[in-house]
Amino acid sequence: MLDYRQLDWKLITATLALSLIGIILIMSAQYYADTDYQQHYYQRQIIWLLFALVVFTVVIHLPMRIFDVSAYLLFFITLVLLVLVLILGSSRGGASRWFSFGPINLAPSDIAKLTLVFALSRFFAYTKLPVISKRRLALSGLMTLIPVMLIIKQPDLGTSLVFFVILFALWFWSGMSPWYLLLILSPLISLVTASHWLSWAVYFVVLLSFLAFLKPGMLNSTVVVIFNLAFGIITPFIWNRMAEYQRLRIKTFFDPSLDPRGAGYQIIQSKIAIGSGGILGKGPLGGSQTRLEFLPERHTDFIFSVLGEEFGLWGSLLVLLLFTFIFYRAIRIAARCRSRFASGVVMGAVAILLFQFLINIGMTLGFMPVTGLALPFLSYGGTALVLSWTLIGLIISADYRWQEY
Amino acid sequence: MERYKISLAGREKISLVVVAIVILLLVVGLVKLQLIDHSEFLEKSESNRIRVVPITPRRGVVYDREGKVLIDNRPSYTVSVVPAEEVKGKTLPNLGQVISLDTLEIRKRIKKNMVSRYQPAPVKKDIPFDVVAILEEQNRIFPGISYQMERVRQYPVELGCEAFSGYVGEVSEEQLGKNKMYNYRLGSMIGKEGLEKYYDNLLRGNEGTAYIEVSASGQILGPYEGRKKIEAVPGSDLTLTIDLDLQRTGVEAIDTFCCGAIVALDPRSGEVLAMLSYPNYDANIFSSVIPESLWLEISSDSTHPLLNRPLNGLYPPGSTTKLLTVGAGLEEGLINENTTFKPCLGGMQFGNRFFRCWYAGGHGRLTAVHAIEQSCDVYMYQLGLKLGVDVMSRYFDLCGFGRTTGIDLPNEYAGLNPNSEYYDKRYGVNKWTQALALNNAIGQGEILVTPLQLAQFYCGLANGGVVYRPHIVKKISKSSGEQISVSPVMSFKLPFSERTLELLKEGLRLVVEGERGTARGLHNKYYAVGGKTGTAQNPHGEDHSWFVGVAPLDNPEIVVCAIVENAGHGSEVAAPLVGKVIRTYMDKKTRRENLARVADGGDR
């Protein structure tokens, strides 16, 4: 039987606080909505929270080994689900991302995040391959790419980014030097800087001096340079093959005023909402941006804007503080775990939460692109809430069992 | 290979640093938005949801002197588009179908009239009411469309009031920029001519402001309570000195001719009783958007309907200023009531030119009053020679010619009163002779007057020399209930002694009642009329026909001046016209007096 006193109650409390703040914000965001259905989003979120707590309780009672031994099986099942959702999933706005069971929408991509963490953690925990061996990199990369390909097909660019972040985080956590990680990621930097030849040239000078300093060997250096060259050259081709809405998102990310009624509109209105909140905010239900529906997606992607408008700087900082606490606690736990698998799972969880946290809030503040990534614990959405609480459950569980190998 | 590995403690540290960087990034972003740029965004969020709606005040109604409505307002609907709420591919095509405009044109008008993205930009004015009903009933398919009821000026077309009413129109961008017109916005109506322009500040009132709250979809949620609505102050109503019956008589009388003007003044106060320019135009078309074709038609019409003849029509006065010539002669002591000159034999030789009298048979030897009665040119030539160009010019000036009357209407012309300085400039020093004085003496030559100036001069003759400044507004009724009556203002005195004035008045009487008077047709047994005919030669065609009438002559109450362009002798055309106006006036006066007598009798 679990010794409840040994659980990390501070971490649980912080998470619960975030979830409750989320419910308050959802209620406020849709209080003046047109339909009953919209007005009662918060009630559904409460039910989801209760369900998430049940899942959480189950997770902390399960031994870590269960996830360890079944990691590959779960991952395989997820891949099957991802294929099935492409065929059977309900589509909305041209994207089929969910299985619909009555009112419940189950997104297999959410589950895939979790099972990829399991699979990669298991792989890194037991592999004897050296940290930077090519087989190690290729195998782990392949494990990540399969779900990513399936999800990009849905299409869901934002979510697929999360999978790469999980991969990079676990590469790093399994011992890879961040400098080396940077070299691996360098082609991506090429991709971005290649939008202008000058920025690309400057970047290339930096890259070459970096290689001279790090001395990763002639062969590796050559590979890095070739990849960088290749990415820099193919950027225009990729750009031209992108869907118009994707290009627009990238363009309006750099300049929201380009499309004040479309993609830029959301960012502009979100910035107005948060900025007009000031230090003290306009009070619950007092946000005119929220109430008058200037704020789009206000109960999901832009829930932080509601927080910023109605509760101001102090409310926003409180939420940042709670998240900081969770991340700090989780990283300490990851470092303490004796089980390499458990440690990897905790780090993977941190990666998922931190990345979504950064991208989502960064988007509402106007310096991150509009990717459609929700804010963990606060945004409306059942499966996302259950997943987030599952991740917390795993962290708590890893902490409780930190001495187990 | 150890170089590529990192210890657990190192990894933990780096992870924590990454978290710290992420948090720091977000905190900086938050502080920038919520602390540094807070006020800017607060303003934006306010302008997001609060729409400032100007409330146009009711423009003042204009009445005639008896309280009959002359210029009124009627409701008119303007459809507008709120640019920020417009849905591409939906709003404009749907709207275009209803108001029959293509999308491109609507887009052009929005761009032209846009104040801010959140304020309605007018697209089409004066749309029919059934279109308004469609917009109202099916507002779902017209996102971002709003319409406003406004009042549009309504002018009486058939009364020829344009000469003094003027019209209103949208304030032009040029006007907005040039003057500091902070009270006007793009799309504001402003008086463009006539009393609409002169009294614009009184008529327009003060614009009010309403603040309404709107949702993102443009739905109006009702008044915004944070700011107090500023009520509009209606414009002042004006009661004019104009008598609609006289105005109507004038229009009906002049209707058979091509072009002309009538001005009727009350010599006792300077009140304008009637004023019209013919042909007139429909002032109503200027209140809304004028179709180009219509504008071309009006502005290129050879009869110049846009020319405001009473104020801007410049004509040689012809024989009508012979009284001035005689008056000047008497005042200068060159003649007296018995003085006669060489007899008129149908003309006279001066230098190498023969100056004809209008009556080829010759008038014989005449005294001053009879020279006026028969409008003898030869008498005037000889008197003009004695006076000389500059003395004549001085008298013209003292009688109000060559300068504006100061009537309360805009853009009045001063006319032209030539003197030797002018002639020196025009012909060169010593390049002209006193022969010009001969022309001036009979109201010909370079001298140009407006019908209003001529009427004003006769008011002075009728009123013992005292000239009141012509004015058209009798009473201003402010929306607060305050009433301001306009009292007559003395403008100047004619440079004639009482004795001279008496003689001139006798001349006026003889023109109508004398045996050989030029306007004997106006003689009647009910009231005494005086007047003077004029036949003004002009280089553009047939002579202009003038007549200025004064009635009742013993105690004048009305002076009517009429000119009919290119119509021939004053006695044949203009005199009967003036007679009709005077008759209407006298009939009304008699009726009024009879009514008063009956009322008095009832009391007893």
Side-chain angles (χ1 to χ4, degrees), chain A residues 18 21-22 25-26 45 299 303 319 323 375-380:
Chain A
L18 282 177
I21 290 172
L25 292 178
I26 291 164
Q45 184 78 346
H299 62 298
I303 193 80
V319 165
F323 269 108
L375 184 58
F377 306 113
L378 279 88
S379 287
Y380 174 80

Side-chain angles (χ1 to χ4, degrees), chain B residues 247-370:
Chain B
Q247 189 79 17
R248 189 175 289 115
T249 307
V251 169
E252 284 166 7
I254 206 168
D255 197 32
T256 48
F257 305 104
C258 155
C259 326
I262 296 177
V263 177
L265 301 178
D266 184 336
R268 298 166 299 177
S269 58
E271 290 178 359
V272 180
L273 299 171
M275 183 188 266
L276 63 95
S277 181
Y278 190 84
N280 60 332
Y281 58 92
D282 182 359
N284 293 299
I285 59 174
F286 290 93
S287 320
S288 50
V289 185
I290 316 165
E292 188 115 355
S293 57
L294 188 58
W295 171 252
L296 267 169
E297 192 189 313
I298 294 174
S299 56
S300 65
D301 192 324
S302 62
T303 61
H304 306 294
L306 289 177
L307 174 65
N308 188 356
R309 291 176 165 82
L311 268 63
N312 301 342
L314 297 177
Y315 306 95
S319 308
T320 55
T321 49
K322 280 178 180 161
L323 284 100
L324 187 144
T325 311
V326 170
L330 290 167
E331 287 303 314
E332 293 297 306
L334 299 171
I335 53 170
N336 60 40
E337 54 191 284
N338 300 317
T339 308
T340 55
F341 290 116
K342 279 182 234 163
C344 168
L345 302 170
M348 71 175 259
Q349 188 73 32
F350 180 76
N352 53 7
R353 212 184 120 189
F354 185 70
F355 284 78
R356 245 191 277 274
C357 180
W358 69 270
Y359 183 54
H363 291 106
R365 205 176 280 273
L366 293 169
T367 58
V369 281
H370 292 290

Side-chain angles (χ1 to χ4, degrees), chain B residues 171-186 190-192 197 200-201:
Chain B
V171 62
S172 68
E173 248 168 273
E174 193 188 346
Q175 279 173 311
L176 269 180
K178 206 158 56 187
N179 309 319
K180 267 190 267 165
M181 293 210 268
Y182 54 93
N183 264 331
Y184 297 87
R185 294 173 292 104
L186 266 183
I190 185 171
K192 295 254 176 179
K197 180 177 184 177
D200 193 55
N201 276 332

Side-chain angles (χ1 to χ4, degrees), chain B residues 412-481:
Chain B
E412 186 194 357
Y413 284 1
L416 180 62
N417 173 18
N419 54 15
S420 53
E421 213 173 295
Y422 169 87
Y423 290 128
D424 282 346
K425 218 177 275 170
R426 169 119 193 232
Y427 300 109
V429 184
N430 295 330
K431 294 265 172 69
W432 54 278
T433 65
Q434 283 298 325
L436 292 169
L438 271 69
N439 277 333
N440 292 348
I442 62 160
Q444 293 290 155
E446 267 90 347
I447 179 116
L448 292 172
V449 305
T450 66
L452 180 66
Q453 284 174 331
L454 201 57
Q456 174 187 249
F457 171 58
Y458 276 76
C459 278
L461 295 178
N463 197 46
V466 177
V467 177
Y468 286 97
R469 186 194 297 154
H471 64 274
I472 198 151
V473 169
K474 198 174 170 62
K475 196 174 70 185
I476 298 160
S477 311
K478 296 202 166 176
S479 61
S480 59

Side-chain angles (χ1 to χ4, degrees), chain B residues 41 85 92 151 170 244 295 314 316 352 429 440 546 559 578:
Chain B
F41 283 113
E85 289 159 12
L92 298 194
R151 300 179 196 85
E170 271 182 35
L244 275 188
W295 171 252
L314 297 177
N352 53 7
V429 184
N440 292 348
W546 278 111
V559 168
V578 168

Side-chain angles (χ1 to χ4, degrees), chain B residues 50-290:
Chain B
I50 299 164
R51 198 185 288 165
V52 181
V53 185
I55 311 171
T56 312
R58 185 191 66 102
R59 198 171 170 90
V61 176
V62 179
Y63 303 96
D64 91 331
R65 63 184 298 124
E66 289 167 345
K68 293 178 200 149
V69 175
L70 225 157
I71 308 172
D72 203 354
N73 306 298
R74 69 176 169 82
S76 155
Y77 295 88
T78 298
V79 66
S80 304
V81 173
V82 181
E85 289 159 12
E86 175 213 331
V87 175
K88 278 214 173 81
K90 187 173 177 189
T91 305
L92 298 194
N94 288 350
L95 177 66
Q97 272 188 345
V98 185
I99 61 172
S100 42
L101 275 178
D102 64 86
T103 314
L104 233 76
E105 174 65 22
I106 299 179
R107 169 98 38 228
K108 237 165 67 190
R109 294 188 183 182
I110 293 174
K111 211 174 154 196
K112 194 182 135 220
N113 296 330
M114 192 162 97
V115 180
S116 97
R117 290 180 41 75
Y118 301 99
Q119 282 189 33
V123 169
K124 193 172 182 185
K125 285 187 171 269
D126 218 358
I127 54 171
F129 187 76
D130 49 328
V131 172
V132 177
I134 293 173
L135 294 177
E136 167 88 45
E137 277 161 25
Q138 302 172 28
N139 55 6
R140 285 249 159 233
I141 64 165
F142 300 108
I145 296 272
S146 66
Y147 52 86
Q148 295 81 36
M149 199 276 278
E150 40 173 37
R151 300 179 196 85
V152 166
R153 282 307 232 194
Q154 197 163 23
Y155 301 96
V157 195
E158 70 285 356
L159 292 178
C161 293
E162 294 71 27
F164 57 87
S165 73
Y167 53 87
V168 293
E170 271 182 35
V171 62
S172 68
E173 248 168 273
E174 193 188 346
Q175 279 173 311
L176 269 180
K178 206 158 56 187
N179 309 319
K180 267 190 267 165
M181 293 210 268
Y182 54 93
N183 264 331
Y184 297 87
R185 294 173 292 104
L186 266 183
S188 284
M189 288 309 228
I190 185 171
K192 295 254 176 179
E193 291 288 348
L195 61 89
E196 293 279 22
K197 180 177 184 177
Y198 197 90
Y199 289 101
D200 193 55
N201 276 332
L202 283 171
L203 286 168
R204 67 193 305 268
N206 290 330
E207 195 170 72
T209 310
Y211 301 94
I212 56 172
E213 196 172 40
V214 292
S215 75
S217 54
Q219 207 184 344
I220 293 167
L221 302 172
Y224 169 62
E225 264 114 39
R227 266 194 256 177
K228 228 182 137 211
K229 178 180 171 184
I230 303 164
E231 294 291 349
V233 180
S236 307
D237 293 341
L238 300 181
T239 302
L240 302 186
T241 57
I242 296 286
D243 185 325
L244 275 188
D245 295 319
L246 298 191
Q247 189 79 17
R248 189 175 289 115
T249 307
V251 169
E252 284 166 7
I254 206 168
D255 197 32
T256 48
F257 305 104
C258 155
C259 326
I262 296 177
V263 177
L265 301 178
D266 184 336
R268 298 166 299 177
S269 58
E271 290 178 359
V272 180
L273 299 171
M275 183 188 266
L276 63 95
S277 181
Y278 190 84
N280 60 332
Y281 58 92
D282 182 359
N284 293 299
I285 59 174
F286 290 93
S287 320
S288 50
V289 185
I290 316 165

